[in-house]
Amino acid sequence: MAHPHASLPVAVFDSGVGGLTVLHECLVSLPHEDFTYFGDTARFPYGERSPVALRAFALELGELLLARGAKLLVVACNSATAAALPSLRVALEGRVRVIGVVAPESLLAAGVTRSGEVGLLATPATVASGAYERALATSAPEARLHAVACPELAPLIQAGGEVDDRLVDCVEGYCAPLRAAGVDTVILGCTHYPLVRPLIQRAMGRGVAIVSSGQAIADEVARELRLAGIERKVDRRGSYRFLCSGDPQAFRRVGVRFLQMPLGDVRRVAVAAAPPARAAA
Amino acid sequence: MAHPHASLPVAVFDSGVGGLTVLHECLVSLPHEDFTYFGDTARFPYGERSPVALRAFALELGELLLARGAKLLVVACNSATAAALPSLRVALEGRVRVIGVVAPESLLAAGVTRSGEVGLLATPATVASGAYERALATSAPEARLHAVACPELAPLIQAGGEVDDRLVDCVEGYCAPLRAAGVDTVILGCTHYPLVRPLIQRAMGRGVAIVSSGQAIADEVARELRLAGIERKVDRRGSYRFLCSGDPQAFRRVGVRFLQMPLGDVRRVAVAAAPPARAAA
């Protein structure tokens, strides 16, 4: 008999629409599973929030999603993972397993690199947190991480619009130090970056492996469900639905580019009020 | 000393914007090479043209591109490849090498399949031509080709708009016979299809390899340039430019989705007048 939790969805949350690139890979890899996605757009961006605030947000969203039914929880946000993953795991222990970004990507990169020279493109906050250094030191102690902070990249992608020379110049500028370092693997340390993956591949060369959190998380979700014996049968087509804390229409409008799949109904769910985040640096 | 032809661009032509997915992969794989792309939008679509007309078009465009300078010619169009590749090669022999779609993809699929059960998604005209059967019989005599004609898919993709349930249902319907046949490899036999690659991957399952003409052509271009000793040095950033026979603004508007890279100036070049193509079936 199937486990009683097997029929519940996998829940994914993020500060906004970026995590939809993670959901995209999960939908490709696990078409038979159901998913619930929560974008905390009312409190976006998380990058400038304090660790204390992020721990409170993560716990609130974890409880909110568990109350709606979830057999696994995915934190598809670098800032929330860095600040809140350990405390969220402690708070939800015995009720649901929690997967974050960073560790699965580092593990994937460790398995892919041959030279041990690994590049990282990420936001300034993620680079400053040192989270990828620590994760890579665990999964590949011999590897060297070359981290490049990319302050302009996520905002340019979020703004949308056509791929233009400014975006190409931006990508090439951030890739230049990684080319100089001769890395053979690049970690995309921000969920926005898969949207410019071809530009990064062109800048780095076809021989360089590019690792994104979407792929890594999809593998990890599959593994966790299998280990816990809570997978759905593969002979069905799963469904997915969207919740957000801000304007559903705005979420839809920006989100379709990130999901690359039909983005149906989006429902607004109220969350605790929070002071405006500091302006992005 | 470098070969005198090395500094010329690689020329790519197609009936319209679909071949831009082929150019996309060439740009990712060969960032140091220059490219000229010609979209014959004034005479689009080629699918309903007679073989005699297509041979005349291909020869006209081959001469036009050679006159502007080209070290290699790529026919990025299934209809033109099927009807005109042999005669184009004969006409241009000794002046330029010509690469078409179909054969490189079949070779790639032959190398990837383990079970020998290979799927093909393509336009009705391409399926009816039997070109992939013949190519696969050469590259993998033991393999079996399961071909599915997809009359609605390219028009839906060309029309643009958001990925919606109708497009998903369309993809799933065409993939169903390939799932039933248990193929382990799917050839995308139309240059429009890479735009819905994630939907096809989700419908087929992550374990099924998807082969597109873009990848295959990019590999083939690299191989031809190397064999002929006419590659550019890798320490430069190549350029690319666009010509079309129809309205440049319309080409630009539709083309950006297919290229996923900056699509700068597009120039109009006159071609011979042709009677309107029969309406698509």
Side-chain angles (χ1 to χ4, degrees):
Chain A
M1 206 186 80
H3 191 285
H5 284 178
S7 64
L8 295 176
V10 175
V12 180
F13 79 82
D14 178 44
S15 58
V17 295
L20 291 172
T21 63
V22 173
L23 180 64
H24 171 91
E25 295 293 338
C26 289
L27 293 176
V28 170
S29 285
L30 303 162
H32 50 286
E33 296 288 348
D34 297 334
F35 291 86
T36 304
Y37 182 93
F38 190 101
D40 195 4
T41 46
R43 300 186 292 202
F44 176 87
Y46 276 12
E48 305 293 319
R49 302 278 185 187
S50 71
V52 172
L54 290 178
R55 283 195 284 275
F57 294 174
L59 195 56
E60 180 188 8
L61 297 183
E63 292 290 357
L64 184 156
L65 287 163
L66 263 188
R68 278 165 173 75
K71 62 180 173 181
L72 187 64
L73 184 61
V74 177
V75 185
C77 171
N78 278 283
S79 304
T81 296
L85 188 63
S87 62
L88 191 60
R89 281 184 169 149
V90 169
L92 301 180
E93 191 165 8
R95 297 163 63 202
V96 73
R97 303 250 321 154
V98 187
I99 293 173
V101 289
V102 181
E105 273 181 285
S106 302
L107 200 60
L108 195 54
V112 165
T113 184
R114 295 173 306 279
S115 68
E117 305 293 332
V118 176
L120 169 68
L121 300 173
T123 62
T126 298
V127 170
S129 77
Y132 281 95
E133 263 96 351
R134 288 192 297 277
L136 199 66
T138 308
S139 52
E142 308 291 301
R144 294 205 326 152
L145 189 74
H146 305 265
V148 175
C150 311
E152 289 179 56
L153 194 50
L156 268 178
I157 295 169
Q158 175 91 16
E162 197 178 293
V163 176
D164 60 10
D165 287 332
R166 186 177 160 208
L167 185 54
V168 172
D169 290 345
C170 176
V171 166
E172 294 196 347
Y174 294 138
C175 286
L178 300 183
R179 287 165 59 95
V183 304
D184 73 349
T185 305
V186 175
I187 296 173
L188 304 187
C190 169
T191 54
H192 281 58
Y193 299 171
L195 273 73
V196 293
R197 185 182 182 127
L199 300 185
I200 296 170
Q201 191 82 66
R202 176 166 155 93
M204 294 304 305
R206 187 72 93 175
V208 171
I210 296 180
V211 170
S212 73
S213 48
Q215 296 166 277
I217 292 279
D219 292 352
E220 187 74 2
V221 168
R223 203 178 68 90
E224 286 282 350
L225 296 179
R226 198 169 52 242
L227 286 177
I230 51 174
E231 316 111 296
R232 297 294 296 250
K233 293 217 172 101
V234 296
D235 61 354
R236 68 188 288 277
R237 184 68 58 196
S239 64
Y240 50 92
R241 61 186 183 135
F242 301 90
L243 308 171
C244 70
S245 53
D247 174 25
Q249 288 312 313
F251 179 91
R252 252 198 126 266
R253 201 167 50 243
V254 184
V256 286
R257 279 192 299 128
F258 286 75
L259 189 65
Q260 290 183 62
M261 293 205 183
L263 203 161
D265 274 358
V266 183
R267 292 203 182 178
R268 188 165 185 280
V269 175
V271 295
R278 275 177 284 147
Chain B
M1 206 185 80
H3 191 286
H5 284 178
S7 63
L8 295 175
V10 175
V12 180
F13 80 82
D14 178 45
S15 60
V17 296
L20 292 172
T21 63
V22 173
L23 181 64
H24 171 91
E25 295 294 338
C26 289
L27 292 177
V28 170
S29 286
L30 302 162
H32 50 287
E33 296 287 349
D34 297 334
F35 291 87
T36 304
Y37 182 93
F38 190 101
D40 195 4
T41 47
R43 301 186 292 202
F44 176 87
Y46 276 11
E48 304 294 319
R49 301 280 185 184
S50 72
V52 172
L54 290 179
R55 283 194 283 274
F57 293 176
L59 195 56
E60 179 188 7
L61 298 183
E63 291 290 357
L64 186 155
L65 288 163
L66 263 188
R68 277 165 174 73
K71 62 180 174 182
L72 187 66
L73 184 59
V74 178
V75 185
C77 171
N78 279 282
S79 304
T81 296
L85 188 63
S87 62
L88 192 59
R89 281 183 169 152
V90 169
L92 301 180
E93 193 166 7
R95 296 163 63 202
V96 74
R97 303 252 320 157
V98 187
I99 293 173
V101 289
V102 183
E105 273 180 285
S106 303
L107 200 61
L108 195 53
V112 165
T113 183
R114 293 172 306 277
S115 68
E117 306 293 331
V118 176
L120 169 68
L121 300 173
T123 63
T126 298
V127 170
S129 76
Y132 281 96
E133 264 95 352
R134 289 192 295 279
L136 199 65
T138 308
S139 52
E142 309 291 301
R144 294 206 325 154
L145 189 74
H146 304 266
V148 176
C150 311
E152 288 179 56
L153 194 50
L156 268 178
I157 294 168
Q158 175 90 17
E162 198 178 293
V163 176
D164 60 11
D165 287 332
R166 186 175 160 211
L167 185 55
V168 171
D169 290 346
C170 177
V171 166
E172 293 196 348
Y174 294 137
C175 287
L178 300 183
R179 286 165 60 95
V183 304
D184 72 349
T185 305
V186 175
I187 296 173
L188 305 187
C190 170
T191 53
H192 281 59
Y193 299 171
L195 272 72
V196 294
R197 186 184 183 127
L199 301 183
I200 295 170
Q201 190 83 66
R202 175 164 155 94
M204 294 305 304
R206 187 72 92 173
V208 172
I210 296 179
V211 170
S212 73
S213 49
Q215 297 166 279
I217 292 281
D219 291 352
E220 188 73 3
V221 168
R223 204 178 67 89
E224 286 283 350
L225 296 180
R226 200 170 49 242
L227 286 177
I230 51 175
E231 316 112 295
R232 297 295 296 250
K233 293 219 171 100
V234 297
D235 60 354
R236 67 188 288 276
R237 184 67 60 195
S239 64
Y240 49 94
R241 61 185 184 138
F242 301 90
L243 308 171
C244 71
S245 54
D247 174 24
Q249 287 312 312
F251 179 92
R252 252 200 126 267
R253 201 168 49 245
V254 185
V256 287
R257 279 192 299 128
F258 287 74
L259 189 65
Q260 290 183 63
M261 294 205 183
L263 205 161
D265 273 358
V266 184
R267 294 205 178 174
R268 189 164 185 278
V269 175
V271 294
R278 276 177 282 148

